[in-house]
Amino acid sequence: MAHHHDMGHNMTGTAMPTSDPHAHHHTTMSPGHMHGEGMAMTFYFGYENVPLLFSGIVINTAGEMAGAFVAIFLLAMFYEGLKIARESLLRKSQVSIRYNSMPVPGPNGTVLMETHKTVGQQMLSFPHLFQTALHIIQVVVSYFLMLIFMTYNGYLCIAVAAGAGTGYFLFSWKKAVVVDITEHCH
């Protein structure tokens, strides 16, 4: 019987919304905005008191939201362009050193040409270091875009999606052409 009493006490202790010290603040905020010190957990369309990545950057006006929308749209476009540019650079550096042929002794005194497909680069070469730097930038930008999306602000989410779509549309058609050319020049 005592066990049942403990369960009842826990349920009433945690289920009462008035025991939450942030309950008053939560009811005064518009839906979707910050819950206590946490993040919004539902999508909302608003432009007042919208934090953006850093504590000092808070959107409070429609103009600031429009500016943030354009900046995030361009950042998402840049991200798509960077991904495709990195693939293209990697492919170009591989095309120039793609095949190495070397004579290998074969059966009965014949000489066979053994061809090795070279995909990698030297670890301390400039192209590899440059790719590494671009990769770090790409990872940081991708996490920024994810965190922006996780604000659950509808305008900012649309900016991320529209920017990524526009970036892919503008940059990916070149990718298809480059693939087509390199696949036929063996």
Side-chain angles (χ1 to χ4, degrees):
M1 193 68 171
H3 180 68
H4 178 70
H5 176 71
D6 286 342
M7 281 180 58
H9 176 70
N10 285 344
M11 289 176 74
T12 57
T14 57
M16 292 177 63
T18 54
S19 66
D20 181 9
H22 299 291
H24 176 72
H25 296 296
H26 179 67
T27 55
T28 59
M29 293 183 150
S30 57
H33 271 270
M34 304 300 279
H35 174 70
E37 295 297 316
M39 293 173 51
M41 299 309 272
T42 56
F43 287 101
Y44 68 98
F45 285 89
Y47 54 83
E48 292 179 0
N49 197 28
V50 181
L52 188 60
L53 295 179
F54 300 99
S55 60
I57 304 175
V58 180
I59 298 167
N60 281 309
T61 66
E64 289 174 355
M65 179 58 78
F69 185 96
V70 171
I72 291 165
F73 180 89
L74 293 174
L75 185 66
M77 270 183 60
F78 168 76
Y79 173 72
E80 290 298 323
L82 179 61
K83 276 197 320 189
I84 291 162
R86 279 193 58 225
E87 290 172 13
S88 177
L89 281 172
L90 189 61
R91 205 176 295 111
K92 283 179 185 171
S93 67
Q94 289 173 358
V95 167
S96 60
I97 53 166
R98 183 164 274 184
Y99 295 103
N100 293 333
S101 297
M102 52 191 289
V104 175
N108 303 326
T110 60
V111 175
L112 300 174
M113 291 303 284
E114 188 175 276
T115 303
H116 293 279
K117 188 174 183 181
T118 306
V119 175
Q121 301 166 331
Q122 290 183 328
M123 190 184 293
L124 293 176
S125 67
F126 176 75
H128 184 64
L129 293 172
F130 187 60
Q131 280 282 345
T132 302
L134 290 178
H135 177 75
I136 292 168
I137 294 167
Q138 182 181 333
V139 167
V140 170
V141 171
S142 72
Y143 278 117
F144 276 4
L145 292 172
M146 178 197 69
L147 290 170
I148 290 166
F149 208 93
M150 287 177 62
T151 63
Y152 284 92
N153 182 285
Y155 299 121
L156 302 182
C157 293
I158 289 169
V160 170
T166 303
Y168 182 83
F169 177 78
L170 292 176
F171 301 121
S172 69
W173 69 273
K174 287 184 179 182
K175 175 180 163 183
V177 172
V178 170
V179 169
D180 196 40
I181 292 168
T182 57
E183 293 303 315
H184 289 90
C185 65
H186 301 300

